[in-house]
Amino acid sequence: NAGVMQNPRHLVRRRGQEARLRCSPMKGHSHVYWYRQLPEEGLKFMVYLQKENIIDESGMPKERFSAEFPKEGPSILRIQQVVRGDSAAYFCASSSRTSSSTTDTQYFGPGTRLTVL
Amino acid sequence: RKEVEQDPGPFNVPEGATVAFNCTYSNSASQSFFWYRQDCRKEPKLLMSVYSSGNEDGRFTAQLNRASQYISLLIRDSKLSDSATYLCVVNIGSSGGSNYKLTFGKGTLLTVNP
């Protein structure tokens, strides 16, 4: 039973390029969360998605960042026109979340380490 | 005030030592509490949930004091493999049901020495 998969594990981009980060949730999980960990900082919530729906993107920067979770395929976090400050570890988590009134355990993927030159 | 604050550390202890980590949170409406561990350049992994009555899992004991908005983790008989960063995590929750947004502390680095 594979865990949360993320790819690539490491991504290097030059300023102004686009970065695409992929996340495949655990089997049976339909809820995906993206977090960002800046150097020497704690993880910060970015966005929560269900299949074909963005539920909460309150942690996403207003510009250049977008996320999707299509009916088929992995969730994608897209960063356009990257800047050096985007360099961070981006973690995806998934949960089964069968009830809106309970907190399901979030299982984290290995992360994508983005370096912007 | 930060939403979740932890001992800055680092902690360096010998094998077999007992070590305690403290954490405070600012939002009194917080609903769920956890300790995660994160190994260097790896993903966070759930260590244990924290319940109001306190709970224990082997060498690990977690306590929650809602009145003081304080969470603790005690590790007894520490092992070399306990070396990691320990993250205090709080789920703020809300009346709208957004009880999925985990808020992480910056973590406390523990190194257990032989």
Side-chain angles (χ1 to χ4, degrees):
Chain A
N1 185 15
V4 179
M5 311 273 282
Q6 288 188 251
N7 68 82
R9 296 290 301 276
H10 300 273
L11 183 61
V12 179
R13 285 288 177 265
R14 295 189 182 279
R15 280 179 296 171
Q17 292 184 318
E18 179 180 288
R20 280 187 179 234
L21 288 61
R22 296 175 192 79
C23 169
S24 296
M26 282 179 71
K27 187 176 181 180
H29 286 188
S30 58
H31 303 264
V32 166
Y33 317 82
W34 285 93
Y35 292 82
R36 177 167 67 174
Q37 186 173 32
L38 293 168
E40 308 301 322
E41 295 292 324
L43 278 78
K44 303 286 188 198
F45 169 83
M46 298 181 75
V47 61
Y48 163 37
L49 309 105
Q50 295 178 24
K51 285 284 187 182
E52 301 184 281
N53 283 304
I54 297 174
I55 307 302
D56 181 347
E57 56 182 348
S58 58
M60 290 268 276
K62 295 288 186 267
E63 297 177 351
R64 302 188 297 107
F65 284 72
S66 62
E68 63 177 10
F69 190 13
K71 187 176 180 180
E72 300 291 336
S75 174
I76 306 285
L77 179 67
R78 183 182 177 204
I79 312 172
Q80 295 178 289
Q81 300 175 328
V82 296
V83 301
R84 287 212 175 119
D86 296 333
S87 295
Y90 291 82
F91 290 98
C92 167
S94 74
S95 73
S96 58
R97 194 163 179 79
T98 54
S99 166
S100 62
S101 63
T102 60
T103 301
D104 285 339
T105 300
Q106 294 182 22
Y107 296 89
F108 284 81
T112 293
R113 298 192 179 275
L114 173 65
T115 302
V116 180
L117 303 177
Chain B
R1 184 182 172 187
K2 290 185 179 176
E3 289 182 290
V4 179
E5 289 202 72
Q6 297 186 238
D7 285 337
F11 284 50
N12 285 280
V13 303
E15 269 187 290
T18 296
V19 59
F21 302 132
N22 302 316
C23 171
T24 57
Y25 59 96
S26 60
N27 191 327
S28 59
S30 299
Q31 298 181 358
S32 308
F33 310 90
F34 311 91
W35 284 100
Y36 277 71
R37 71 171 275 169
Q38 185 175 26
D39 293 283
C40 187
R41 303 184 72 78
K42 298 282 183 68
E43 72 272 26
K45 291 185 178 176
L46 179 64
L47 181 64
M48 57 197 304
S49 301
V50 187
Y51 304 113
S52 296
S53 54
N55 47 302
E56 187 174 308
D57 183 2
R59 297 180 294 109
F60 300 85
T61 301
Q63 298 277 354
L64 167 66
N65 184 322
R66 285 188 183 268
S68 303
Q69 295 178 204
Y70 170 89
I71 308 162
S72 66
L73 176 68
L74 184 76
I75 306 176
R76 290 182 300 279
D77 189 24
S78 52
K79 312 290 185 193
L80 296 178
S81 57
D82 293 335
S83 297
T85 297
Y86 289 82
L87 308 174
C88 178
V89 183
V90 173
N91 183 312
I92 305 295
S94 79
S95 58
S98 59
N99 50 353
Y100 47 77
K101 195 181 299 184
L102 300 181
T103 301
F104 286 77
K106 290 177 69 171
T108 303
L109 177 63
L110 170 67
T111 302
V112 181
N113 302 301

